[in-house]
Amino acid sequence: AEPRENGQHDMERPLSKKGRRTAKQTGKAMKGHANLPQKVYASFARRACQTAKRVIKQLDHQAEITLREDLYLAEPRVMGFTI
C-alpha cells in the first residue's frame, strides 16, 4: 500500500505501484489454470478491492467480487473459513 497521508485511515490507502504490478502478474499466472474463480472475496480496504479487480481483469473471466468487512486485517484461519 501507499504510505498514509495526513489523517488517512488505513482502509483508504491505495495499492502501491509494486502492488499493482504484482496483482497484474498474479492474474496472468492464474489465467492458464483450468479452475478459475467464480467468486472472489476481498476486504473493504481500498487496496484489497483494487487488487481483486486487477487480478480478475487479467483473467478475461467473469468473477463476482464480494467485499467483506471481516476480512480486513483477518488472520489466516478466518480467511480459511471464508473459502
Side-chain angles (χ1 to χ4, degrees):
E2 292 290 340
R4 284 187 200 198
E5 293 182 11
N6 233 2
Q8 185 180 36
H9 189 278
D10 182 60
M11 287 188 71
E12 298 169 355
R13 293 168 54 204
L15 199 56
S16 66
K17 185 175 181 178
K18 179 181 178 184
R20 291 190 300 271
R21 185 175 59 249
T22 301
K24 186 176 181 178
Q25 292 169 340
T26 300
K28 285 182 177 182
M30 290 174 63
K31 189 174 182 177
H33 294 276
N35 297 320
L36 296 177
Q38 299 300 310
K39 191 171 232 184
V40 174
Y41 295 98
S43 84
F44 280 93
R46 180 178 176 190
R47 62 191 175 274
C49 299
Q50 292 173 324
T51 299
K53 288 177 183 177
R54 286 180 177 273
V55 169
I56 290 171
K57 183 177 180 180
Q58 294 303 312
L59 297 177
D60 292 329
H61 170 75
Q62 294 288 334
E64 177 185 345
I65 299 174
T66 300
L67 302 179
R68 294 186 43 162
E69 188 173 353
D70 61 332
L71 293 179
Y72 178 67
L73 300 178
E75 294 183 24
R77 64 179 179 78
V78 173
M79 292 180 206
F81 290 133
T82 300
I83 298 169

